[in-house]
Structure formats: structure tokens, C-alpha cells
Amino acid sequence: MLPEGVLINGLTGEVSPGTGKYTKRLSELREIFQDQTELDRLVEVEGDPVVYEVIEYRKEGSDLFFGTTTMEPGKVSGEFFMTRGHFHQRRDMGEVYYTQSGHGVLLLESRKGETKVVRMDPGVCAFIPPDWAHRSINVGSEKLVFVWVCNVDAGHDYGDILKHGMRKIVVDRDGKDTIMNNPHYSS
Ligand SMILES: O=P(O)(O)OC[C@H]1O[C@](O)(CO)[C@@H](O)[C@@H]1O
Ligand SMILES: [Fe+2]
């Protein structure tokens, strides 16, 4: 394993050299949005738009890996495009998100049910403590691009968020991103 400088384009999220990538489209995120009828309509009319793309840089044998998440702007009945959201399988491992461009909200929730919000504006480096669920939301009108750094063993635990939702949602109210209680949250 040798050191290496990796070029990250803060406007497009391109990683050179990257070692893997995936894309999430709206139809794959159906369960996490409030208005699924409107989501189905958007998928039909807009041809299943991309919501976010993740590109990673990972080296076999390293304890750390990093990458970019690039989120498209968009809404479903006023609810902004967001990631699935997850806890880490390893409860002792956190993460770092460093925003490069665009504007977002990082929604965090502890196991005890505390909610925190960190604004994702260019230059903000967000600390995600171990055992806090995290979801990023693009509240702007351009791409939201951020770099994340994590332990390779952290893993993703999507189960709890998928089953119960998060306690808060982020919606457009009169042109302003607004944090509201999730009417569909189930404890
Ligand atoms: O894995 P999710 O919740 O769909 O969100 C994707 C984001 O989370 C990560 O898994 C990093 O924790 C990245 O791949 C990306 O920032
Ligand atoms: Fe994570």
C-alpha cells in the first residue's frame, strides 16, 4: 500500500482515481418519502431521476476509506431529495462529512431519540459521532457535493431508519427549508 493524492472535483463529485460507484434513483427510495403517489408520478413523468451518486476510494488493507456523495436538487411534494439514512453497524465508529458545494442539511438522530441538525454549506466539516443515525438532504437548487471519510469496518445498518423513519423531515415551506416532525414516524 502506497500513499496517493486523490483529486476530488468539488462541483461534480468526480474522484480520480475512484475505485467504485453507485447511483440511487427515485424509485429505489420510495419508502423514505411521505408522498409515494407523487413519487410514482415523478418517476413516470421524469423517467426515474437520479437522487444521488456515491463514488469511493478504497484500498485493500486500509482502515479508512473516503469518497464523495453528489446529491441532485429536487423535491417530492415539497420534501427535499435525501439519502436513505443509516446507523453504522459498528456502534463505536463515526464519520466525517466535508461539504464542497451546494447547500444541505445533515439530519442526525441518536439511539436515545435526540435530534441534531448540521447545516451543510461549503467549508463546513461535520462530525458525526458514533451511534448517531445520519441522513443528508439537498435543500438547495444546485448539486450538493460532500466528501465523507469513514472506517472500512463501520458498515451500514439501514433497518431501523427504514422501519421507523426519522423523527424529523425537511420540507420546503414558502421557499424556506423547514424542519418538521415526521407524521409517519413510528417508535
Ligand atoms: O448510505 P446512504 O444512507 O444511502 O447514504 C449515502 C451516504 O452515506 C455513505 O454511506 C457514507 O456513510 C456514503 O456512501 C454516502 O454519504
Ligand atoms: Fe455513514
Side-chain angles (χ1 to χ4, degrees):
M1 224 186 318
L2 291 171
E4 188 171 22
V6 176
L7 190 61
I8 289 180
N9 184 320
L11 291 174
T12 64
E14 197 184 334
V15 178
S16 314
T19 57
K21 67 159 86 174
Y22 69 84
T23 298
K24 283 279 161 213
R25 291 181 179 271
L26 196 53
S27 64
E28 301 173 84
L29 302 167
R30 195 171 186 277
E31 290 73 21
I32 66 175
F33 284 93
Q34 302 284 316
D35 187 346
Q36 293 168 356
T37 310
E38 173 63 4
L39 185 145
D40 292 341
R41 195 191 67 81
L42 286 173
V43 167
E44 187 81 14
V45 171
E46 294 188 12
D48 205 2
V50 169
V51 177
Y52 57 98
E53 180 182 58
V54 175
I55 307 180
E56 67 172 42
Y57 173 88
R58 187 193 288 250
K59 287 285 147 173
E60 176 97 37
S62 172
D63 56 340
L64 293 174
F65 73 136
F66 61 87
T68 57
T69 300
T70 302
M71 302 190 65
E72 297 299 326
K75 285 175 262 188
V76 180
S77 288
E79 191 177 21
F80 292 103
F81 278 10
M82 60 182 139
T83 58
R84 285 169 286 185
H86 57 268
F87 283 96
H88 290 157
Q89 281 165 341
R90 283 283 300 262
R91 293 183 172 216
D92 58 341
M93 291 180 175
E95 191 164 355
V96 170
Y97 280 7
Y98 184 42
T99 302
Q100 304 288 286
S101 60
H103 299 281
V105 164
L106 174 58
L107 187 60
L108 299 125
E109 201 173 292
S110 73
R111 295 268 179 198
K112 286 190 283 183
E114 305 150 278
T115 293
K116 290 275 179 208
V117 164
V118 176
R119 304 296 304 195
M120 299 176 76
D121 298 314
V124 174
C125 192
F127 167 60
I128 300 169
D131 222 16
W132 280 71
H134 41 288
R135 161 178 283 165
S136 43
I137 299 147
N138 185 352
V139 300
S141 51
E142 30 184 289
K143 286 179 195 287
L144 170 67
V145 181
F146 62 94
V147 174
W148 47 267
V149 184
C150 195
N151 191 295
V152 292
D153 293 328
H156 294 86
D157 172 4
Y158 293 107
D160 286 346
I161 300 297
L162 210 51
K163 191 161 163 217
H164 305 287
M166 290 185 83
R167 285 172 169 79
K168 304 285 178 188
I169 57 171
V170 184
V171 296
D172 184 336
R173 283 282 174 275
D174 303 323
K176 199 177 156 11
D177 54 90
T178 308
I179 319 254
M180 297 180 63
N181 288 329
N182 179 359
H184 291 134
Y185 178 77
S186 66
S187 52

